[in-house]
Structure formats: C-alpha cells, structure tokens
Amino acid sequence: MRNIITIMRKELSSYFRSPVAYLLLFLFAAATGGVFYLYIKTFIFQSLTQAQYAQMYEQQMPPMNVNEMVIRPVLGWTGSICLFLAPMITMRLFAEERKTGTIELLLTSPVTDVQLVLGKFFASMLLYMTMLLLTCLYFTVLFRYGNLDFLPLIPGYLGQILLGGSFLSLGLMFSTMTKNQVVAGSLTFFALIIFMLVQWSGDYAGGLWAQVAGYVSWTAHLENFSKGVIDLKDTVYYLSVIALGLFVSVRSLESIRWRA
C-alpha cells in the first residue's frame, strides 16, 4: 500500500507541476459552468412564464422540479464533457514513461506491476474527483436560493465517479500500449465514442441488438444514476469496465517487462 501511495503522490505532483491539471480544471469548470448557466436560465424563464400564466388565468402554478430540470441534465452533460477530458488525463501516464525511457527504471524498481497501475490510476481519479468538486459550487447556489432535494445528488455523483473511473481505466490501458501520448489519447477518445455510438445504433435497430447495445453503452447505465437511483446492474457494469482496464494494463506492463 505504501508503494501505491508513493506512486500516486508522484503522479499528482507531476500533474500540478505542469499546466495540465490547471488547464483541465479550467476547461471542465468553463464547460460545466456554461451548461449550468443555460439550464438555470431556462428554468427561471419557464418559472416566470408559468407564474404569469397562473396569475392571468387565476390558477395555481404547477410545481417545477429543480432536480429534474437542472441537476439531472447538468450531471448528464458532465459525463459527456468527461469523455473529452479523460483522454487528456490518462494519455501521459505510461506513454511518457515509455518515450523518455524511465519505464525501465520503474519496472526494475521494487514495485509490482499492480502497484504501478493502481498508483497511477488513483492519481488520475483524484484529479478527476477534484474536477467534480467544482460542480458542487454550482449546486450550492441552488441550495441557497432554490428548493433542492439533496438525496438524488448522492447517486448522481456516485454515477459520475464510476463513469470517470471506467473512462480513466481504459485510458490508462491504452497509455501502456504506446509511446506516443497523442496516439494514446486518440485511442481512448475513439473507444469511448464507439461505446456511445453503440447506444444510438441500438435505438434505431431495436430487438436483441437494442438490448445488447443498452448494456454495452456507458450512456444507458448513467441514466439511472442521474435519476437518483442506484441500480446494481449499472454499478457492476462500471466496476467491470474498471477491472478490465486495470487488468489489461497490468498484463501490458508484464509484456513490456518480458520484452525488456
């Protein structure tokens, strides 16, 4: 465990010693902030419209759910934004080590392949969760000025953490397979895009393929978490993707060790 923590600290330090972490935090904050602003603006406009309509016809104003109209779509867009940023987080983890030749030092050090993979994975997860914390600032505004139900936020953020973990594990896997960071990031991005396109193809095809596509695609499993529901099937799916990515990463490092 000590080796894993040491590797994790080293990776986090390398993130924040370079502009990478700050650029990612800025891009994530700008993208999610813009989405939050648009949905809040729409919510306020619809609230005013409903209030005027109710006053005009002397009717009671229908209830408007902040969680359904703001939080749920914002969290949904957060997952889509992560699709673009996750490859930027993971593309350098092992590809840079292989390019600079420091991977030989790591592989000959008293650290196992599993410890290497887990240390780098946890470092990327901590950076990702730091990005997620920024969205808490937006929802704090709703707590202050709106009628917000807190409980659905817990499954929502749990879904985002599991989704991010699955993205990062796949990115880590591709980073072990190449010396080029751009190639590693591109492979990760296109793999995630393919998982999303599978869901769209299932919507048009129907039948058995629709059921298969619904289980394979990451977008379908995020839906229940966004609604505030923790489903065992969705949780197992994301944990399986994380385990698969980490397993292949360890095996990829073992192949590098034997070739060396």
Side-chain angles (χ1 to χ4, degrees), residues 120-134:
K120 288 178 176 288
F121 174 72
F122 289 147
S124 63
M125 278 297 296
L126 284 176
L127 177 57
Y128 172 72
M129 292 174 70
T130 302
M131 294 163 53
L132 278 183
L133 282 176
L134 297 176

Side-chain angles (χ1 to χ4, degrees), residues 7 54 59 66 146 152 163 166 177 202 238:
I7 296 170
Q59 297 177 353
V66 180
L163 175 72
S166 62
M177 298 178 178
Y238 285 122

